[in-house]
């Protein structure tokens, strides 16, 4: 079972996760916010890129900061962002797929948000 062995809030822009398979990943606030798995954000993200809701999510995500995170059981983390949003539960398998390290970037099926 995929589990983080360490999660560190580096600053208000990023957090790092070392996974129990040895993979280390840096997650940036804008990508995490854009890819929030809550129903509201998922609907906006999957809408037409020219729609108001998609553009608003992209705009909000570009300037957001991470305020804090909390563990949710043994399967997810919750993140509170500077815009007050805190609805998403980031399951570990979902977070792992959001990694944008060089090795993971080459696997385009894993990239779901804007590439830094």
């Amino acid at each position: 079972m995929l589990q983080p062995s360490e999660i560190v809030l580096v600053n208000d822009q990023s957090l790092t996760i070392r996974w129990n398979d040895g993979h280390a990943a840096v997650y940036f606030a804008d990508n995490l916010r854009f890819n929030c798995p809550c129903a509201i954000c998922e609907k906006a993200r999957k809408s037409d890129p020219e729609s108001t809701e998609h553009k608003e999510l992209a705009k909000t995500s570009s300037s957001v900061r991470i305020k804090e995170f909390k563990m949710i059981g043994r399967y997810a983390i919750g993140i509170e962002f500077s815009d007050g949003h805190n609805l998403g539960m980031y399951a570990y398998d979902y977070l792992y797929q959001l990694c944008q390290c060089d090795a993971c970037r080459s696997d385009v099926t894993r990239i779901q948000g804007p590439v830094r």
Side-chain angles (χ1 to χ4, degrees):
M1 179 180 207
L2 187 64
Q3 293 282 317
S5 54
E6 179 182 44
I7 303 175
V8 176
L9 182 60
V10 177
N11 53 43
D12 65 358
Q13 288 292 304
S14 63
L15 67 102
T16 60
I17 300 178
R18 181 166 302 279
W19 296 97
N20 62 350
D21 68 354
H23 188 69
V26 177
Y27 297 90
F28 294 97
D30 59 344
N31 190 47
L32 288 169
R33 180 65 178 89
F34 184 82
N35 286 290
C36 173
C38 82
I40 296 166
C41 294
E42 184 174 357
K43 180 182 177 200
R45 190 173 54 254
K46 291 182 176 180
S47 66
D48 183 320
E50 296 303 315
S51 70
T52 302
E53 59 188 344
H54 192 279
K55 287 180 179 181
E56 185 60 32
L57 177 61
K59 180 181 176 187
T60 299
S61 298
S62 69
S63 61
V64 79
R65 307 275 187 259
I66 300 170
K67 288 180 70 174
E68 64 182 357
F69 75 91
K70 63 181 178 184
M71 306 303 287
I72 300 174
R74 293 180 163 221
Y75 64 93
I77 64 172
I79 301 173
E80 182 176 351
F81 295 96
S82 59
D83 67 344
H85 191 74
N86 64 356
L87 300 176
M89 291 190 301
Y90 294 78
Y92 296 150
D93 58 342
Y94 181 68
L95 268 174
Y96 196 87
Q97 292 174 16
L98 292 178
C99 180
Q100 293 185 336
C101 72
D102 290 341
C104 294
R105 282 184 192 213
S106 65
D107 182 359
V108 296
T109 60
R110 292 180 62 169
I111 299 171
Q112 299 190 18
V115 177
R116 286 184 140 297

